[in-house]
Amino acid sequence: WDSMLGAKLISEANFDAVWASGLEISASHGLPDANILTMSEYLERASEMNDASNLPVIADCDTGYGNVNNVIYLVEKYEQRGIAGICIEDKLFPKTNSFIEGRQDLADIEEFCGKIRAIKETQTNPDFMVFARVEALIAGWGMEEALIRANAYSDSGADAILIHSKKKDNKEILEFCKKFKKRKPVVVVPTKYPKFHEKDMPKYGISLVIYANHVLRSTIKAVSETLKILKEKKELSSIENKIAPLAKVFHLQGMSTLKEN
């Protein structure tokens, strides 16, 4: 899926920001979400989204691509490209995707706090944000560990806490929010618990919801269905009313501006 076209459509749909998803960027290369691509490759895609849209771009930066020195370099480069904020998670490098089954190893708390402090000391734009992603619930370490980590990351300067869960309901998330007591803005990614509606989130202290992979998944489904119909019917008329008109493509490309010029 083209990152620039995606960012333009997200902007047209009047969302508040664009999420430069590590999973989506990896998948667009046909690769697993496991730090196989380099920081530069992720940055290039995030920059394309930033260029294509007037919305702030929040970049998924996995574990920070290494140690504290890698994170310092990351911040310098992402700020230079105008990215509004980054999210780093407290797993070990190279990371494993959150939805892989089984217990996963997490980074040492103090080491991860050091990464957060390094980000805040390195950034030059006061509005640049870092979201600290707590993986304790996802990785099987439990609620107590999640709260210890969320509080430590808050003390280290994180601008928001992203708490992740792969339960099929929101009970685990609500328990975390209650015990965290709104110390910092909370971010959620309701991929596995889709019945938790955005309108119900603010009363629990949730400030931001990320729809992390739905554009990619809808694209895969739509393209697969189109190819199947074409293969079976072998005629364009069978799909013409199911796909975007060519005029929409020209609009996204800025063809009217080209013609005016």
Side-chain angles (χ1 to χ4, degrees):
W1 174 246
D2 183 275
S3 55
M4 298 185 81
L5 279 177
K8 285 188 175 184
L9 289 170
I10 291 166
S11 183
E12 278 192 357
N14 294 317
F15 279 85
D16 298 306
V18 176
W19 172 245
S21 163
L23 170 63
E24 291 205 1
I25 294 170
S26 297
S28 72
H29 285 80
L31 291 170
D33 181 24
N35 288 141
I36 295 172
L37 297 177
T38 66
M39 186 208 81
S40 298
E41 289 172 300
Y42 286 111
L43 173 57
E44 192 60 39
R45 286 298 186 90
S47 299
E48 289 173 359
M49 296 178 196
N50 197 47
D51 291 342
S53 168
N54 58 3
L55 297 176
V57 172
I58 302 168
D60 178 5
C61 293
D62 293 338
T63 62
Y65 309 114
N67 65 18
V68 71
N69 292 302
N70 298 88
V71 168
I72 290 170
Y73 179 70
L74 178 160
V75 172
E76 291 171 348
K77 293 303 177 183
Y78 275 71
E79 266 203 310
Q80 287 172 14
R81 297 292 190 94
I83 304 302
I86 61 172
C87 178
I88 60 171
E89 61 191 77
D90 56 358
K91 287 215 190 96
L92 298 178
F93 178 86
K95 63 161 277 185
T96 304
N97 182 273
S98 296
F99 297 126
I100 300 299
E101 288 302 320
R103 183 179 170 91
Q104 300 181 17
D105 292 329
L106 297 182
D108 175 79
I109 292 177
E110 185 51 38
E111 179 197 4
F112 194 76
C113 288
K115 289 182 179 182
I116 296 170
R117 290 193 295 270
I119 293 169
K120 302 313 291 183
E121 291 170 8
T122 301
Q123 70 183 75
T124 57
N125 176 6
D127 295 326
F128 186 83
M129 298 187 74
V130 56
F131 297 173
R133 175 167 151 176
V134 177
E135 291 284 286
L137 300 180
I138 280 278
W141 289 54
M143 183 63 66
E144 183 179 355
E145 182 72 15
L147 289 163
I148 289 170
R149 288 174 175 268
N151 284 313
Y153 305 160
S154 298
D155 291 340
S156 298
D159 296 295
I161 297 296
L162 191 160
I163 184 66
H164 213 354
S165 172
K166 55 187 175 187
K167 298 289 187 183
K168 293 183 178 179
D169 58 48
N170 63 3
K171 292 179 182 177
E172 192 173 55
I173 292 294
L174 297 186
E175 182 185 351
F176 173 87
C177 290
K178 181 179 179 180
K179 292 179 176 177
F180 187 56
K181 299 179 180 178
K182 302 183 181 179
R183 281 204 60 196
K184 288 288 178 80
V186 172
V187 183
V188 297
V189 187
T191 303
K192 290 290 187 177
Y193 46 100
K195 292 182 179 180
F196 190 19
H197 198 284
E198 189 177 318
K199 67 179 175 59
D200 298 320
M201 295 180 183
K203 63 186 176 185
Y204 299 108
I206 297 169
S207 301
L208 185 69
V209 55
I210 295 174
Y211 301 112
N213 46 56
H214 299 81
V215 171
L216 173 72
R217 288 160 59 196
S218 59
T219 303
I220 290 170
K221 188 176 191 318
V223 171
S224 297
E225 289 176 352
T226 294
L227 292 173
K228 182 180 178 182
I229 292 170
L230 277 176
K231 178 67 176 173
E232 291 174 351
K233 303 289 187 182
K234 302 187 186 306
E235 58 175 306
L236 290 175
S237 61
S238 60
I239 63 164
E240 194 59 39
N241 65 345
K242 295 180 173 64
I243 60 177
L246 201 54
K248 180 66 175 181
V249 179
F250 290 158
H251 168 70
L252 291 168
Q253 289 178 299
M255 287 291 257
S256 60
T257 302
L258 179 81
K259 188 175 179 182
E260 280 180 28
N261 292 341

